[in-house]
Amino acid sequence: MSENPQVKAILEHIETRERELADQAGQFQARIEELTRQLGELDAESENLRITRKTLLTLPLPSPDTGPERPNIPDHPAYQQILTALANTGRPMRARDLCQALDLPILPKNTEGIRCKPKRLVSRGILIEPEPGLFACPGA
């Protein structure tokens, strides 16, 4: 190194500045690496969205003849008679009213037998029970 104090001061200044620049370059390199990672994530998500769009556009439309699935009505004819009676009146009915509509004697065994059938239809989503013991067709 030079013995000249002015040259020595300039060389020290240059070394200090070189260290500062090296530190800044390291910081910039770290930021570049982080931004590159983030850009990769964005590119991957963009690609996933593109693939999803492409997949959705290639799905076939449902055929018009496939309507909503019909609820499973029990096989016993009494269920169909109850549904017919409710549809014909167009209003909610109680078990006693259903017995009358089905020409059954108003006896406790008949009303209880009739009451459990609409309850089963309610549990299957075929009928609704707007209030306890009152049965109706949906939409009625």
Side-chain angles (χ1 to χ4, degrees), residues 12-82:
E12 286 175 3
H13 177 71
I14 290 174
E15 285 179 25
T16 303
R17 185 66 182 141
E18 284 178 331
R19 279 193 300 273
E20 289 172 356
L21 292 174
D23 287 346
Q24 282 183 342
Q27 291 172 1
F28 287 147
Q29 185 62 38
R31 285 178 56 194
I32 288 171
E33 289 169 4
E34 175 62 19
L35 291 172
T36 301
R37 184 192 62 75
Q38 289 176 351
L39 181 60
E41 290 174 0
L42 291 175
D43 286 342
E45 186 175 352
S46 246
E47 180 65 10
N48 288 341
L49 291 172
R50 188 188 65 72
I51 290 169
T52 301
R53 177 185 295 115
K54 183 178 178 182
T55 302
L56 287 174
L57 291 174
T58 60
L59 290 176
L61 293 174
S63 58
D65 60 316
T66 58
E69 190 175 305
R70 189 159 186 238
N72 187 15
I73 299 173
D75 291 334
H76 195 277
Y79 290 99
Q80 191 57 52
Q81 292 170 346
I82 290 169

